[in-house]
Amino acid sequence: MLAFQSGLRVGELSALKKADISGNRRSIHVQRTEITYKDPVTNKRVCEVSDFPKTDAGERFLILPDQAADTINAILALNPEDEYLFSEAGKRIRANAFNRRLSRVCDELNILHRSMHKIRKTYGTTLIDANVQESFVTEQMGHTTIETTKKYYYYCNKDDAAKINQINRAVSC
């Protein structure tokens, strides 16, 4: 649910610490992400938390909708002791676990499989469709330009009637 409410990248979600959440649950300080790479010595896959965000946009304070406070409080109640927001038995939940769980939920609901990245795309589309100021959309998504958001994260989901209505409003004289 927090992914739908925040548009966080799955690696950012996985690397969130409780200290990153503001006291009033109105914002999240995004300052790290999970990275995966192949260790050149052991030739094994390594997954760890990087102390910097994924993109050149850098650290950001993500503004949350009102209902996210309830979501965060429910998450905190599940695991009050650990450092990371999402952990189980003292271990941080890794990004791939979020995608596996989402796949199981899709199976249970008998719908097409979706990825955590698809949730992020839905978030970006929702902000743009709601006419949120472009500079704020860019900031929320952690991009350096709105063009990135529009190119990779926007899907026009309007039906033909809505498109006709937009055209009529735009060209009415």
Side-chain angles (χ1 to χ4, degrees):
M1 185 55 68
L2 188 58
F4 281 105
Q5 295 167 338
S6 67
L8 283 166
R9 295 176 179 94
V10 68
E12 294 169 342
L13 197 63
S14 162
L16 269 183
K17 293 184 178 183
K18 292 175 182 172
D20 298 331
I21 312 286
S22 68
N24 63 2
R25 315 287 191 254
R26 301 296 302 160
S27 67
I28 293 175
H29 186 191
V30 180
Q31 55 186 327
R32 66 185 70 76
T33 192
E34 178 182 285
I35 59 170
T36 304
Y37 61 92
K38 194 175 206 175
D39 185 299
V41 176
T42 64
N43 211 27
K44 291 186 178 182
R45 189 171 165 251
V46 177
C47 181
E48 62 187 24
V49 173
S50 168
D51 286 329
F52 54 87
K54 179 181 177 183
T55 66
D56 291 339
E59 293 183 20
R60 69 188 189 279
F61 285 90
L62 187 68
I63 306 301
L64 298 172
D66 293 338
Q67 67 269 29
D70 293 335
T71 303
I72 291 170
N73 288 334
I75 295 165
L76 290 170
L78 292 172
N79 186 17
E81 303 301 321
D82 293 337
E83 174 183 26
Y84 287 96
L85 186 62
F86 293 100
S87 60
E88 203 167 52
K91 292 183 74 174
R92 179 182 62 83
I93 296 175
R94 293 176 25 188
N96 61 356
F98 286 97
N99 277 310
R100 283 193 315 269
R101 177 65 182 135
L102 183 57
S103 284
R104 285 196 304 270
V105 169
C106 290
D107 283 343
E108 290 168 12
L109 296 172
N110 199 28
I111 62 174
L112 291 174
H113 282 237
R114 299 288 188 252
S115 67
M116 293 294 293
H117 191 68
K118 188 71 166 176
I119 293 172
R120 183 167 159 74
K121 286 184 171 194
T122 299
Y123 180 80
T125 295
T126 301
L127 294 182
I128 291 170
D129 281 349
N131 296 317
V132 173
Q133 186 178 13
E134 287 185 352
S135 62
F136 185 52
V137 173
T138 302
E139 186 180 312
Q140 286 289 104
M141 296 296 290
H143 294 150
T144 53
T145 66
I146 192 63
E147 286 75 25
T148 301
T149 306
K150 287 181 175 179
K151 182 175 180 180
Y152 298 108
Y153 294 88
Y154 182 72
Y155 174 75
C156 181
N157 55 12
K158 293 179 176 34
D159 62 16
D160 286 344
K163 290 176 183 177
I164 290 168
N165 192 18
Q166 284 184 332
I167 291 293
N168 285 336
R169 279 194 323 262
V171 297
S172 293
C173 297

